[in-house]
């Protein structure tokens, strides 16, 4: 089905409402992660693949060495072929925070 301009605008509006609804339910740390997730999910499939993850992590920690980025990525190694979900990213962040305290 082709989307005409009116339908496209309605769908876009609904998508942004959903994005903002999720944002309202999150903690401040999760909100930052959510915004980053949305920004770096280049394929817009709701998953962060390995390439998208490398770009996200580099932007998240711009002073990190390649070895550090690789260590971060190893924390995500899963059997999920479709990539990481937002929940996976949140779990990773909780692990990083727990290790730093």
């Amino acid at each position: 089905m082709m989307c005409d301009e009116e339908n496209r605008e309605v769908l876009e509006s609904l998508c942004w409402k959903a994005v903002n609804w999720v944002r309202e339910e999150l903690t401040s740390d999760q909100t930052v992660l959510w915004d980053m997730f949305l920004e770096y999910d280049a394929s817009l499939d709701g998953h962060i693949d390995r390439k998208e993850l490398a770009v996200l992590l580099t932007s998240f920690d711009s002073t990190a060495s390649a070895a550090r980025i690789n260590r971060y990525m190893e924390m995500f190694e899963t059997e999920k072929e479709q990539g990481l979900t937002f929940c996976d990213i949140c779990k990773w962040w909780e692990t990083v925070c727990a290790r730093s305290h």
Side-chain angles (χ1 to χ4, degrees), residues 16-77:
W16 281 112
K17 285 180 183 181
V19 164
N20 289 325
W21 176 81
V22 170
R23 185 179 284 116
E24 290 171 5
E25 300 299 315
L26 302 172
T27 66
S28 59
D29 279 356
Q30 290 170 334
T31 299
V32 171
L33 294 172
W34 176 244
D35 291 340
M36 289 181 78
F37 184 87
L38 293 174
E39 181 177 349
Y40 291 97
D41 179 16
S43 60
L44 300 175
D45 65 355
H47 294 88
I48 299 289
D49 64 29
R50 190 164 178 80
K51 181 179 176 185
E52 293 166 335
L53 179 61
V55 174
L56 183 152
L57 291 172
T58 302
S59 72
F60 186 71
D61 189 352
S62 61
T63 63
S65 65
R68 177 180 240 167
I69 295 297
N70 284 334
R71 282 195 305 273
Y72 285 153
M73 291 181 73
E74 286 171 5
M75 295 173 73
F76 286 113
E77 292 303 323

